[in-house]
Amino acid sequence: MKLHNLMEDEVIRIVNKLLKNEKDICTCEKCKLDIAAIALNNLLPQYVVTKKGELYKRANNMGIQFEADITKEVTKAIYIVRKRPKHEIKL
Ligand SMILES: [Zn+2]
């Protein structure tokens, strides 16, 4: 058994979707995850318990408003990362 944050899947899905339409932004793994992290920090987590290897079913309450809220936060995050990409900083 493990905890799984459904919001994480949704945010990653929407990051990938929105980045397809963006031309002047870096889409390296680091920048993508930075965008996802910023958006996730502004959204409520949606935790479920999953059995190992089990695929989660998308909840039915994830409607249009839910998608719109995520899109709004991801759009803000893309704006932030575009202005200040952090992929060049060595950690
Ligand atoms: Zn990058």
Side-chain angles (χ1 to χ4, degrees):
M1 297 288 201
K2 66 183 185 99
L3 284 173
H4 184 74
N5 182 5
L6 295 184
M7 188 59 90
E8 217 174 289
D9 301 322
E10 293 302 307
V11 165
I12 300 272
R13 184 173 66 80
I14 290 176
V15 166
N16 285 325
K17 191 178 94 177
L18 293 184
L19 284 183
K20 264 188 216 157
N21 305 321
E22 300 285 338
K23 291 195 177 70
D24 57 339
I25 185 166
C26 175
T27 55
C28 77
E29 195 68 11
K30 170 83 174 106
C31 288
K32 264 194 200 179
L33 290 177
D34 276 339
I35 293 165
I38 293 165
L40 279 165
N41 283 337
N42 291 316
L43 291 158
L44 286 174
Q46 301 278 332
Y47 279 103
V48 292
V49 177
T50 57
K51 283 180 199 158
K52 226 179 177 179
E54 183 186 61
L55 285 176
Y56 79 91
K57 280 199 197 115
R58 274 181 79 195
N60 292 327
N61 63 352
M62 293 186 179
I64 292 166
Q65 186 55 48
F66 181 82
E67 176 121 2
D69 289 344
I70 300 173
T71 301
K72 194 179 83 187
E73 291 304 329
V74 171
T75 302
K76 269 159 58 182
I78 287 173
Y79 181 77
I80 293 166
V81 171
R82 173 189 280 141
K83 276 176 84 180
R84 285 178 48 195
K86 288 189 282 184
H87 56 191
E88 283 141 14
I89 299 164
K90 285 191 184 113
L91 298 171

